[in-house]
PDB file of all heavy atoms in Angstrom:
ATOM      1  N   GLU A   9      21.475   1.746  -1.886  1.00 90.00           N
ATOM      2  CA  GLU A   9      22.061   3.063  -1.667  1.00 90.00           C
ATOM      3  C   GLU A   9      21.543   4.024  -2.737  1.00 90.00           C
ATOM      4  O   GLU A   9      21.508   3.666  -3.883  1.00 90.00           O
ATOM      5  CB  GLU A   9      23.619   2.833  -1.893  1.00 90.00           C
ATOM      6  CG  GLU A   9      24.310   2.192  -0.787  1.00 90.00           C
ATOM      7  CD  GLU A   9      24.357   3.048   0.476  1.00 90.00           C
ATOM      8  OE1 GLU A   9      24.575   4.238   0.414  1.00 90.00           O
ATOM      9  OE2 GLU A   9      24.233   2.417   1.591  1.00 90.00           O
ATOM     10  N   ALA A  20      10.304  13.092  -8.434  1.00 94.00           N
ATOM     11  CA  ALA A  20       9.645  13.509  -9.620  1.00 94.00           C
ATOM     12  C   ALA A  20       8.630  12.526 -10.094  1.00 94.00           C
ATOM     13  O   ALA A  20       7.519  12.909 -10.543  1.00 94.00           O
ATOM     14  CB  ALA A  20      10.652  13.808 -10.748  1.00 94.00           C
ATOM     15  N   ASP A  23       5.508  12.541  -8.144  1.00 87.00           N
ATOM     16  CA  ASP A  23       4.601  13.631  -8.468  1.00 87.00           C
ATOM     17  C   ASP A  23       3.853  13.299  -9.848  1.00 87.00           C
ATOM     18  O   ASP A  23       2.671  13.672 -10.029  1.00 87.00           O
ATOM     19  CB  ASP A  23       5.314  14.898  -8.620  1.00 87.00           C
ATOM     20  CG  ASP A  23       5.542  15.637  -7.253  1.00 87.00           C
ATOM     21  OD1 ASP A  23       4.879  15.300  -6.260  1.00 87.00           O
ATOM     22  OD2 ASP A  23       6.419  16.512  -7.256  1.00 87.00           O
ATOM     23  N   VAL A  36      15.524  16.509 -13.177  1.00 96.00           N
ATOM     24  CA  VAL A  36      16.470  16.157 -12.179  1.00 96.00           C
ATOM     25  C   VAL A  36      17.927  16.642 -12.453  1.00 96.00           C
ATOM     26  O   VAL A  36      18.774  16.518 -11.650  1.00 96.00           O
ATOM     27  CB  VAL A  36      16.503  14.626 -11.910  1.00 96.00           C
ATOM     28  CG1 VAL A  36      15.077  14.139 -11.517  1.00 96.00           C
ATOM     29  CG2 VAL A  36      17.037  13.806 -13.147  1.00 96.00           C
ATOM     30  N   GLN A  44      17.985   7.537 -17.895  1.00 97.00           N
ATOM     31  CA  GLN A  44      17.431   6.190 -18.265  1.00 97.00           C
ATOM     32  C   GLN A  44      18.131   5.052 -17.580  1.00 97.00           C
ATOM     33  O   GLN A  44      17.498   4.134 -17.014  1.00 97.00           O
ATOM     34  CB  GLN A  44      17.567   5.935 -19.779  1.00 97.00           C
ATOM     35  CG  GLN A  44      16.421   6.556 -20.594  1.00 97.00           C
ATOM     36  CD  GLN A  44      16.579   6.192 -22.060  1.00 97.00           C
ATOM     37  OE1 GLN A  44      17.689   6.356 -22.629  1.00 97.00           O
ATOM     38  NE2 GLN A  44      15.542   5.831 -22.700  1.00 97.00           N
ATOM     39  N   VAL A  45      19.553   5.102 -17.438  1.00 97.00           N
ATOM     40  CA  VAL A  45      20.207   4.107 -16.780  1.00 97.00           C
ATOM     41  C   VAL A  45      19.776   4.024 -15.252  1.00 97.00           C
ATOM     42  O   VAL A  45      19.636   2.966 -14.721  1.00 97.00           O
ATOM     43  CB  VAL A  45      21.826   4.390 -16.965  1.00 97.00           C
ATOM     44  CG1 VAL A  45      22.598   3.459 -16.000  1.00 97.00           C
ATOM     45  CG2 VAL A  45      22.174   4.106 -18.395  1.00 97.00           C
ATOM     46  N   LYS A  48      16.237   2.635 -14.885  1.00 96.00           N
ATOM     47  CA  LYS A  48      16.312   1.190 -15.070  1.00 96.00           C
ATOM     48  C   LYS A  48      16.864   0.486 -13.852  1.00 96.00           C
ATOM     49  O   LYS A  48      16.284  -0.495 -13.354  1.00 96.00           O
ATOM     50  CB  LYS A  48      17.140   0.830 -16.273  1.00 96.00           C
ATOM     51  CG  LYS A  48      17.093  -0.699 -16.556  1.00 96.00           C
ATOM     52  CD  LYS A  48      17.846  -0.994 -17.886  1.00 96.00           C
ATOM     53  CE  LYS A  48      17.818  -2.434 -18.159  1.00 96.00           C
ATOM     54  NZ  LYS A  48      18.481  -2.893 -19.323  1.00 96.00           N
ATOM     55  N   ARG A  49      17.877   0.981 -13.218  1.00 95.00           N
ATOM     56  CA  ARG A  49      18.559   0.472 -12.042  1.00 95.00           C
ATOM     57  C   ARG A  49      17.577   0.546 -10.835  1.00 95.00           C
ATOM     58  O   ARG A  49      17.390  -0.432 -10.143  1.00 95.00           O
ATOM     59  CB  ARG A  49      19.834   1.179 -11.719  1.00 95.00           C
ATOM     60  CG  ARG A  49      20.507   0.652 -10.468  1.00 95.00           C
ATOM     61  CD  ARG A  49      21.873   1.290 -10.119  1.00 95.00           C
ATOM     62  NE  ARG A  49      21.782   2.761 -10.062  1.00 95.00           N
ATOM     63  CZ  ARG A  49      21.354   3.455  -9.045  1.00 95.00           C
ATOM     64  NH1 ARG A  49      20.879   2.868  -7.954  1.00 95.00           N
ATOM     65  NH2 ARG A  49      21.345   4.745  -9.154  1.00 95.00           N
ATOM     66  N   ALA A  61      -2.347   3.994 -11.901  1.00 84.00           N
ATOM     67  CA  ALA A  61      -3.349   5.072 -11.909  1.00 84.00           C
ATOM     68  C   ALA A  61      -3.851   5.209 -10.521  1.00 84.00           C
ATOM     69  O   ALA A  61      -4.137   4.239  -9.779  1.00 84.00           O
ATOM     70  CB  ALA A  61      -4.419   4.743 -12.934  1.00 84.00           C
ATOM     71  N   ILE A  63      -7.086   6.178  -8.660  1.00 86.00           N
ATOM     72  CA  ILE A  63      -8.480   6.216  -8.935  1.00 86.00           C
ATOM     73  C   ILE A  63      -9.247   6.913  -7.755  1.00 86.00           C
ATOM     74  O   ILE A  63      -8.866   6.765  -6.624  1.00 86.00           O
ATOM     75  CB  ILE A  63      -8.993   4.780  -9.036  1.00 86.00           C
ATOM     76  CG1 ILE A  63      -8.213   3.938  -9.999  1.00 86.00           C
ATOM     77  CG2 ILE A  63     -10.542   4.701  -9.315  1.00 86.00           C
ATOM     78  CD1 ILE A  63      -8.187   4.432 -11.408  1.00 86.00           C
ATOM     79  N   ASP A  64     -10.351   7.620  -8.148  1.00 88.00           N
ATOM     80  CA  ASP A  64     -11.180   8.195  -7.165  1.00 88.00           C
ATOM     81  C   ASP A  64     -12.294   7.213  -6.735  1.00 88.00           C
ATOM     82  O   ASP A  64     -13.251   7.016  -7.526  1.00 88.00           O
ATOM     83  CB  ASP A  64     -11.776   9.491  -7.631  1.00 88.00           C
ATOM     84  CG  ASP A  64     -12.652  10.248  -6.587  1.00 88.00           C
ATOM     85  OD1 ASP A  64     -12.956   9.584  -5.583  1.00 88.00           O
ATOM     86  OD2 ASP A  64     -12.931  11.397  -6.865  1.00 88.00           O
ATOM     87  N   PHE A  75     -12.041  -0.091   8.945  1.00 98.00           N
ATOM     88  CA  PHE A  75     -10.869  -0.679   9.488  1.00 98.00           C
ATOM     89  C   PHE A  75     -11.268  -1.876  10.428  1.00 98.00           C
ATOM     90  O   PHE A  75     -12.044  -1.678  11.308  1.00 98.00           O
ATOM     91  CB  PHE A  75      -9.948   0.322  10.249  1.00 98.00           C
ATOM     92  CG  PHE A  75      -9.427   1.425   9.300  1.00 98.00           C
ATOM     93  CD1 PHE A  75     -10.152   2.592   9.073  1.00 98.00           C
ATOM     94  CD2 PHE A  75      -8.229   1.176   8.654  1.00 98.00           C
ATOM     95  CE1 PHE A  75      -9.619   3.548   8.265  1.00 98.00           C
ATOM     96  CE2 PHE A  75      -7.782   2.117   7.708  1.00 98.00           C
ATOM     97  CZ  PHE A  75      -8.511   3.305   7.518  1.00 98.00           C
ATOM     98  N   LYS A  79      -8.215 -10.734  15.402  1.00 98.00           N
ATOM     99  CA  LYS A  79      -7.475 -11.446  16.410  1.00 98.00           C
ATOM    100  C   LYS A  79      -7.455 -12.921  15.919  1.00 98.00           C
ATOM    101  O   LYS A  79      -8.595 -13.491  15.607  1.00 98.00           O
ATOM    102  CB  LYS A  79      -8.025 -11.359  17.723  1.00 98.00           C
ATOM    103  CG  LYS A  79      -7.190 -11.971  18.790  1.00 98.00           C
ATOM    104  CD  LYS A  79      -7.665 -11.498  20.188  1.00 98.00           C
ATOM    105  CE  LYS A  79      -6.799 -12.098  21.269  1.00 98.00           C
ATOM    106  NZ  LYS A  79      -5.434 -11.575  21.416  1.00 98.00           N
ATOM    107  N   SER A  81      -6.736 -17.121  16.454  1.00 98.00           N
ATOM    108  CA  SER A  81      -6.729 -18.166  17.454  1.00 98.00           C
ATOM    109  C   SER A  81      -5.391 -18.840  17.509  1.00 98.00           C
ATOM    110  O   SER A  81      -5.115 -19.582  18.496  1.00 98.00           O
ATOM    111  CB  SER A  81      -7.813 -19.188  17.193  1.00 98.00           C
ATOM    112  OG  SER A  81      -7.669 -19.790  15.905  1.00 98.00           O
ATOM    113  N   ASN A  92      -2.265 -14.905   5.768  1.00 98.00           N
ATOM    114  CA  ASN A  92      -1.702 -13.998   4.843  1.00 98.00           C
ATOM    115  C   ASN A  92      -2.142 -14.280   3.443  1.00 98.00           C
ATOM    116  O   ASN A  92      -2.489 -13.468   2.661  1.00 98.00           O
ATOM    117  CB  ASN A  92      -0.184 -13.772   5.009  1.00 98.00           C
ATOM    118  CG  ASN A  92       0.282 -13.248   6.228  1.00 98.00           C
ATOM    119  OD1 ASN A  92      -0.447 -12.723   7.086  1.00 98.00           O
ATOM    120  ND2 ASN A  92       1.489 -13.489   6.552  1.00 98.00           N
ATOM    121  N   ALA A  93      -1.960 -15.541   3.101  1.00 98.00           N
ATOM    122  CA  ALA A  93      -2.299 -15.976   1.713  1.00 98.00           C
ATOM    123  C   ALA A  93      -3.790 -15.826   1.464  1.00 98.00           C
ATOM    124  O   ALA A  93      -4.224 -15.335   0.383  1.00 98.00           O
ATOM    125  CB  ALA A  93      -1.930 -17.487   1.541  1.00 98.00           C
ATOM    126  N   PRO A  99     -10.670  -9.135  -2.619  1.00 97.00           N
ATOM    127  CA  PRO A  99     -10.420  -7.830  -3.250  1.00 97.00           C
ATOM    128  C   PRO A  99     -10.875  -6.552  -2.495  1.00 97.00           C
ATOM    129  O   PRO A  99     -10.261  -5.518  -2.725  1.00 97.00           O
ATOM    130  CB  PRO A  99     -11.339  -8.045  -4.544  1.00 97.00           C
ATOM    131  CG  PRO A  99     -12.226  -9.087  -4.310  1.00 97.00           C
ATOM    132  CD  PRO A  99     -11.662  -9.990  -3.198  1.00 97.00           C
ATOM    133  N   GLU A 102      -7.940  -3.631   0.990  1.00 96.00           N
ATOM    134  CA  GLU A 102      -6.964  -2.778   0.387  1.00 96.00           C
ATOM    135  C   GLU A 102      -5.624  -2.855   1.025  1.00 96.00           C
ATOM    136  O   GLU A 102      -4.551  -2.761   0.396  1.00 96.00           O
ATOM    137  CB  GLU A 102      -7.343  -1.278   0.348  1.00 96.00           C
ATOM    138  CG  GLU A 102      -8.406  -1.017  -0.707  1.00 96.00           C
ATOM    139  CD  GLU A 102      -8.628   0.561  -0.782  1.00 96.00           C
ATOM    140  OE1 GLU A 102      -8.061   1.288   0.005  1.00 96.00           O
ATOM    141  OE2 GLU A 102      -9.360   1.002  -1.751  1.00 96.00           O
ATOM    142  N   SER A 109       0.250  -5.727  18.991  1.00 96.00           N
ATOM    143  CA  SER A 109      -0.874  -5.106  19.702  1.00 96.00           C
ATOM    144  C   SER A 109      -1.599  -6.228  20.437  1.00 96.00           C
ATOM    145  O   SER A 109      -1.244  -7.352  20.410  1.00 96.00           O
ATOM    146  CB  SER A 109      -1.740  -4.368  18.705  1.00 96.00           C
ATOM    147  OG  SER A 109      -2.881  -3.754  19.369  1.00 96.00           O
ATOM    148  N   ASN A 110      -2.798  -5.806  20.985  1.00 97.00           N
ATOM    149  CA  ASN A 110      -3.645  -6.796  21.619  1.00 97.00           C
ATOM    150  C   ASN A 110      -4.565  -7.561  20.567  1.00 97.00           C
ATOM    151  O   ASN A 110      -5.427  -8.364  20.873  1.00 97.00           O
ATOM    152  CB  ASN A 110      -4.540  -6.173  22.755  1.00 97.00           C
ATOM    153  CG  ASN A 110      -5.477  -5.120  22.177  1.00 97.00           C
ATOM    154  OD1 ASN A 110      -5.210  -4.580  21.062  1.00 97.00           O
ATOM    155  ND2 ASN A 110      -6.530  -4.782  22.951  1.00 97.00           N
ATOM    156  N   ARG A 118     -12.488  -1.634   1.831  1.00 97.00           N
ATOM    157  CA  ARG A 118     -13.229  -0.642   0.981  1.00 97.00           C
ATOM    158  C   ARG A 118     -14.446  -1.423   0.263  1.00 97.00           C
ATOM    159  O   ARG A 118     -14.273  -2.334  -0.446  1.00 97.00           O
ATOM    160  CB  ARG A 118     -12.352   0.032  -0.063  1.00 97.00           C
ATOM    161  CG  ARG A 118     -13.158   1.168  -0.781  1.00 97.00           C
ATOM    162  CD  ARG A 118     -12.214   1.856  -1.858  1.00 97.00           C
ATOM    163  NE  ARG A 118     -11.093   2.533  -1.191  1.00 97.00           N
ATOM    164  CZ  ARG A 118     -11.139   3.786  -0.700  1.00 97.00           C
ATOM    165  NH1 ARG A 118     -12.313   4.460  -0.773  1.00 97.00           N
ATOM    166  NH2 ARG A 118     -10.036   4.304  -0.213  1.00 97.00           N
ATOM    167  N   ALA A 120     -18.874  -0.554  -1.088  1.00 97.00           N
ATOM    168  CA  ALA A 120     -19.835   0.467  -1.509  1.00 97.00           C
ATOM    169  C   ALA A 120     -20.519   1.154  -0.358  1.00 97.00           C
ATOM    170  O   ALA A 120     -20.877   2.262  -0.368  1.00 97.00           O
ATOM    171  CB  ALA A 120     -20.842  -0.144  -2.549  1.00 97.00           C
ATOM    172  N   GLU A 131     -18.850 -13.112   5.484  1.00 98.00           N
ATOM    173  CA  GLU A 131     -18.723 -14.266   4.513  1.00 98.00           C
ATOM    174  C   GLU A 131     -17.183 -14.398   4.229  1.00 98.00           C
ATOM    175  O   GLU A 131     -16.825 -15.552   3.818  1.00 98.00           O
ATOM    176  CB  GLU A 131     -19.534 -14.119   3.291  1.00 98.00           C
ATOM    177  CG  GLU A 131     -20.956 -14.227   3.579  1.00 98.00           C
ATOM    178  CD  GLU A 131     -21.885 -14.017   2.386  1.00 98.00           C
ATOM    179  OE1 GLU A 131     -21.348 -14.015   1.266  1.00 98.00           O
ATOM    180  OE2 GLU A 131     -23.100 -13.960   2.561  1.00 98.00           O
ATOM    181  N   GLY A 155      -1.210   8.282  -2.029  1.00 64.00           N
ATOM    182  CA  GLY A 155      -1.480   8.478  -3.417  1.00 64.00           C
ATOM    183  C   GLY A 155      -2.102   9.936  -3.698  1.00 64.00           C
ATOM    184  O   GLY A 155      -2.200  10.171  -4.906  1.00 64.00           O
ATOM    185  N   ALA A 159      -0.110  13.579   0.683  1.00 41.00           N
ATOM    186  CA  ALA A 159       0.836  12.357   0.985  1.00 41.00           C
ATOM    187  C   ALA A 159       2.087  12.376   0.132  1.00 41.00           C
ATOM    188  O   ALA A 159       3.165  12.118   0.648  1.00 41.00           O
ATOM    189  CB  ALA A 159       0.051  11.063   0.721  1.00 41.00           C
ATOM    190  N   TRP A 163       6.004  12.469   1.219  1.00 45.00           N
ATOM    191  CA  TRP A 163       7.043  11.475   0.776  1.00 45.00           C
ATOM    192  C   TRP A 163       8.209  12.259   0.179  1.00 45.00           C
ATOM    193  O   TRP A 163       9.326  11.881   0.398  1.00 45.00           O
ATOM    194  CB  TRP A 163       6.385  10.598  -0.290  1.00 45.00           C
ATOM    195  CG  TRP A 163       7.295   9.720  -1.054  1.00 45.00           C
ATOM    196  CD1 TRP A 163       7.541   9.812  -2.318  1.00 45.00           C
ATOM    197  CD2 TRP A 163       8.064   8.599  -0.513  1.00 45.00           C
ATOM    198  NE1 TRP A 163       8.416   8.829  -2.726  1.00 45.00           N
ATOM    199  CE2 TRP A 163       8.804   8.115  -1.575  1.00 45.00           C
ATOM    200  CE3 TRP A 163       8.265   8.142   0.728  1.00 45.00           C
ATOM    201  CZ2 TRP A 163       9.612   7.001  -1.485  1.00 45.00           C
ATOM    202  CZ3 TRP A 163       9.143   6.975   0.816  1.00 45.00           C
ATOM    203  CH2 TRP A 163       9.837   6.520  -0.184  1.00 45.00           C
ATOM    204  N   GLU A 166      10.486  13.442   2.845  1.00 50.00           N
ATOM    205  CA  GLU A 166      11.198  12.454   3.502  1.00 50.00           C
ATOM    206  C   GLU A 166      12.483  11.904   2.640  1.00 50.00           C
ATOM    207  O   GLU A 166      13.485  11.565   3.142  1.00 50.00           O
ATOM    208  CB  GLU A 166      10.345  11.210   3.796  1.00 50.00           C
ATOM    209  CG  GLU A 166       9.417  11.555   4.868  1.00 50.00           C
ATOM    210  CD  GLU A 166       8.371  10.506   5.170  1.00 50.00           C
ATOM    211  OE1 GLU A 166       8.333   9.408   4.407  1.00 50.00           O
ATOM    212  OE2 GLU A 166       7.581  10.616   6.063  1.00 50.00           O
TER     213      GLU A 166
END
Side-chain angles (χ1 to χ4, degrees):
E9 290 288 324
D23 279 344
V36 303
Q44 274 181 314
V45 168
K48 184 176 180 183
R49 182 178 49 80
I63 307 300
D64 182 346
F75 293 91
K79 186 166 182 75
S81 59
N92 293 347
E102 283 190 350
S109 182
N110 61 341
R118 185 178 296 275
E131 295 180 8
W163 172 245
E166 291 172 358

